[in-house]
Structures are given as structure tokens and as C-alpha cells.
Amino acid sequence: MMAILAIIGVIFATGLIIYLSLKGFNILVISPLCALLVIVTNQMPVLDSLLKGTNSYMGGLSGFVASFFIIFLLGSVLAKYIETSGAANSIANGILKLTGTEKPFSVLVAIFLMSLLLTYGGVSLFVVLFAVVPLARNLFEKLNIPWRLIITPYFLGVGTVTMTMMPGTPSIQNVIPTMTLGTTLTAAPILGIVASVVATVWGIWCMKRELKIALANGETFDPKYSKKEDQDEQKKNPSLGVSLLPLVTLIVIIFVGSFLKISNIIIPALAISIIVSAIGFNSYVVSHKEVLNLGATGAISPTIFSASAVGFGSVVASAAGFQTILEGIQNIPGNPLISLSVLTGAMAGVTGSSSGALGIVMNNFVQPYVEMGIEPAVIHRMSAIASGVLTCLPQCGALLSMYALTGLTHKETYKNLFISVVVGSFIAFIAALLIAVIF
């Protein structure tokens, strides 16, 4: 009876944290409460499970902060330089010139490419959001494109290829496995490239299909979404070449460092890119002190939110009920990569965070798979891709931020988003898994 209660407690707490996130409750509030529910139903020592040891709530939270805060900090400062200087706008406008702005589908592709390039260059998806939406709103209104279609190209750009798939991406999801496995950011490049191509082709097909259906149904841009302040005259921005320089620097250092097998290459890569930004954008930044301060402050929330999810996951991972579930997952027949991927995906669902899921899996469950003789680089890439399959669930923080900025809702957009991004990520994962298993 107690064993059944323990399993029910884990499942119910997981469902509750997803439900409360969907209702807008802060993860800092609900994660310890849901962790407490797991602790009580699994008859775990309350104070020890909350406060003491690496497997406690605070142990998981503080361990994640200790390991990754410097990366969040440097990434946030770099993103703030690119945002404040106007470099993000220059890059976006450069892509618009390349794709054109006269055809609706070209605009959707341009938004995808903007989001892709900026996040591959290390810019936070939230900064990309604030750079892309005003530009897109003006173009959608000009071409009379239904505003709800903005969701798919943005999330296709920030939540698939550059988050978990493409070799060399500086995303935290690609960094976390390197800390445990000793791999590089370009681990298992063939698997990553295959997944990236599949996700991109599927996503672009979905975008074209969504647009065709919307236009066939006579949908147009609703004036209620218009914001004239988006059209105010912008300050002078750096040239496209200068704007791209820090991103190119970051990517080159990552690839060279990965080729040379330099550990933690992301840290010096980000630091050097910040220096390049400070020099290159000097004429476009009013106060470097303000940029540094705002960048540092901006690193706190995403770090703590992700760490809170890891804290909850750490409690779940040490609960008897989850151990029973884990045994079932690990006994899935077939290649061990299947059970590893299911486990990672399940933890992403538990925490509502792909980075949180990877932090838990890498710290608690990955060693037996290494001991089975599976190549660490393959574990790295498949775990990363699996963690991103459920990244766009309804309670996703980035999705809620997108809705707040655009005025859109789940009802208007989520079906298409699920098909294009969540289903697309799953298909890309299956493609990479088949390559990994066969070869």
C-alpha cells in the first residue's frame, strides 16, 4: 500500500507542478511545495530531504547554481550588449533584406532565421523575443498576415536546432552534459546535424501549411494586435558586420576549442565575445556599467528558475516511488539509448525544464549507461535532444512570456505549435536515435 502511495505521490506532484505552472504560479513557490508532497507521500525525512545533502531540494538547487551560474552570467551580459547596442536589430534587418519582406512566407522564414542565428550566437531566447516581435508585428500588419502565425517560426528558431541539436551551440542544454561526461560542445555531430535537418524541414513545412490554411480561411491581421510604439524611429545601430562579430567570435572559439578538446570552452568563448562586444559596440552603448549591471541582474532569474526545477527533480529522483518508475524505464527492451532517452524526456516533463532534466539525469542516472560502453558523445547528444522534445509544453516559461508580449493565447496558437515544434522535435529525435542505434 505504501509503495503504491509513493508512486501516486510522485505522479500527482509532477502533474500538480505542471498544472500550477500553467496557471501562472511562480516556480520558486510551487517547486518546494510539490517537493514536500513527494517527501510526505514517500515517507522521506522532511528537513533532510529539503535542506541537507546533494539529493535534497536545496542540494540540487545549489549544485546547479554552483555549476552553471557563471555561464548564465556571461551569456546574459553578452546578450545585453547585443540588445542594448542595437546589434540584434541590425542582424534582424540584414536577414529581412536577404529573404525579402513582400511575401508572407518569406517573412515567416526570416523570423525563423533571425531566431536561429541569434540563439546560435549565444543570445538569450528572451532577448531574441524582444528583438523579433516588434519587427514581425510591423511586417505582419503591412502584409495582413494573421498574427497568431508568429509563434511557430520563433519557437522553431529558439527551441529546436540551437537548443539541443546543432553541434557547437552554446545553449545551456548543450553545456550541461560536458560537465559530467567530459565531452565537447560538438559531441556526436552527425546525430546533431541529422536531427537539425529533420526538425527544420518539418518545421518549415508546417509553417507553409499553417499559412496556406489561414489565408484560405480568409484570416487577416487583427488591428487589436497593432502597437504603434513598435514603429517609432530607432536609434542608429551598428553595421551588420560589426553586429555579427561577437557571435562569429563565439562560434569560432567553440568549434576550435572543441576540436582541441579544451574543457569548459564555453566560458572563455563567452568572455572573449563580451570583450569584442564592448570594443565593437562602444559607440552604440551609452554606459558599459549599466550594460554589465543589467546583464548580471538578468542572469539571476533564469538561473534560479532552472535550479528550482532541478531541486524538485532531485527530491523526485531520490524518492522510492520514482525508483520504482525508474526500474520500469530502465527495463524497457532494446537499445539502452531508448531507456536513457525516455528517462530524460520524463524528467523534462517532471521539471518543465530541459536544462533541469539534463542536470538531474547527468548527476544521478547517466553513469550506468557509460559503464554499459555507450560512447559518451552519443549519450550527450541523445540526452540533449530527448530533453528538448517536451520543451514547449503549455507551462513553458518562454511560451508564457511570448503570449504576454504578443497578446496571443494557448487557444489561438498551441495546436499549431505542438505539431510544428513538439512533434517535429520528436521526429528529429527518432531520426537521430535510428542513426545512433544502427551505426
Side-chain angles (χ1 to χ4, degrees):
M1 182 65 183
M2 294 310 299
I4 295 174
L5 178 62
I7 295 172
I8 292 173
V10 169
I11 295 172
F12 182 76
T14 300
L16 184 62
I17 199 171
I18 292 173
Y19 174 78
L20 293 176
S21 296
L22 187 58
K23 290 297 181 180
F25 285 88
N26 193 302
I27 188 69
L28 297 179
V29 176
I30 61 178
S31 60
L33 292 178
C34 291
L36 184 61
L37 177 60
V38 173
I39 290 168
V40 171
T41 55
N42 282 262
Q43 296 185 309
M44 302 161 68
V46 176
L47 291 179
D48 286 355
S49 298
L50 284 175
L51 304 174
K52 296 181 181 179
T54 56
N55 293 328
S56 68
Y57 176 82
M58 287 305 300
L61 186 154
S62 60
F64 185 88
V65 172
S67 296
F68 301 109
F69 179 68
I70 185 64
I71 298 170
F72 278 94
L73 174 63
L74 293 173
S76 181
V77 171
L78 175 61
K80 185 56 65 174
Y81 263 111
I82 291 171
E83 175 191 17
T84 303
S85 65
N89 286 331
S90 292
I91 293 169
N93 287 322
I95 291 173
L96 285 172
K97 288 180 181 178
L98 179 66
T99 61
T101 60
E102 300 305 315
K103 296 180 180 179
F105 184 64
S106 295
V107 170
L108 296 183
V109 172
I111 294 165
F112 162 62
L113 292 175
M114 289 178 211
S115 305
L116 184 85
L117 178 61
L118 288 168
T119 48
Y120 194 63
V123 181
S124 161
L125 60 87
F126 294 101
V127 172
V128 176
L129 177 60
F130 284 98
V132 165
V133 166
L135 289 166
R137 198 191 308 267
N138 296 337
L139 289 168
F140 273 51
E141 186 170 8
K142 176 184 174 184
L143 296 178
N144 213 16
I145 306 170
W147 183 230
R148 66 178 180 83
L149 298 181
I150 180 68
I151 298 290
T152 295
Y154 169 75
F155 276 99
L156 183 63
V158 305
T160 58
V161 174
T162 59
M163 189 174 79
T164 62
M165 301 176 188
M166 197 66 183
T169 177
S171 71
I172 194 68
Q173 290 85 354
N174 197 33
V175 172
I176 290 172
T178 67
M179 303 295 190
T180 302
L181 298 169
T183 49
T184 67
L185 297 180
T186 56
I190 299 300
L191 299 182
I193 291 170
V194 167
S196 298
V197 170
V198 171
T200 300
V201 170
W202 173 266
I204 289 177
W205 177 80
C206 286
M207 282 196 305
K208 194 163 190 175
R209 175 177 171 272
E210 291 167 16
L211 178 64
K212 183 179 179 180
I213 292 173
L215 296 180
N217 290 336
E219 291 186 55
T220 57
F221 186 89
D222 191 328
K224 72 179 182 180
Y225 296 118
S226 179
K227 286 193 176 182
K228 296 303 179 184
E229 59 267 27
D230 286 344
Q231 301 174 22
D232 291 342
E233 186 176 348
Q234 300 293 314
K235 69 183 180 81
K236 184 180 179 183
N237 297 325
S239 67
L240 180 60
V242 172
S243 299
L244 287 171
L245 189 58
L247 308 188
V248 173
T249 300
L250 178 70
I251 293 167
V252 168
I253 293 174
I254 285 173
F255 272 88
V256 172
S258 296
F259 178 76
L260 298 176
K261 296 185 178 179
I262 300 173
S263 61
N264 296 329
I265 188 61
I266 186 65
I267 294 175
L270 285 168
I272 293 171
S273 297
I274 289 170
I275 294 170
V276 171
S277 296
I279 296 171
F281 301 152
N282 184 57
S283 301
Y284 307 93
V285 173
V286 176
S287 169
H288 289 280
K289 180 177 74 174
E290 182 179 2
V291 171
L292 293 171
N293 288 344
L294 289 174
T297 303
I300 296 173
S301 291
T303 307
I304 297 300
F305 287 167
S306 295
S308 297
V310 172
F312 170 73
S314 295
V315 173
V316 170
S318 57
F322 183 76
Q323 294 302 317
T324 303
I325 296 171
L326 177 62
E327 288 176 11
I329 293 174
Q330 291 177 327
N331 288 327
I332 292 174
N335 192 286
L337 284 173
I338 297 173
S339 65
L340 174 63
S341 300
V342 171
L343 174 60
T344 307
M347 292 310 301
V350 166
T351 61
S353 165
S354 54
S355 58
L358 283 169
I360 295 162
V361 170
M362 291 298 140
N363 289 334
N364 298 282
F365 304 119
V366 79
Q367 194 55 40
Y369 292 94
V370 175
E371 292 170 358
M372 291 178 191
I374 303 175
E375 181 67 32
V378 174
I379 294 175
H380 171 144
R381 187 58 56 208
M382 292 309 305
S383 297
I385 296 172
S387 76
V389 171
L390 298 178
T391 188
C392 281
L393 289 178
Q395 78 274 18
C396 168
L399 180 59
L400 296 177
S401 297
M402 182 67 157
Y403 287 153
L405 189 61
T406 60
L408 295 166
T409 64
H410 285 87
K411 184 178 180 180
E412 294 172 286
T413 65
Y414 192 71
K415 179 182 176 182
N416 283 340
L417 178 65
F418 184 87
I419 293 171
S420 59
V421 176
V422 179
V423 173
S425 296
F426 180 71
I427 295 172
F429 160 74
I430 292 298
L433 180 63
L434 289 174
I435 298 295
V437 170
I438 294 171
F439 297 102

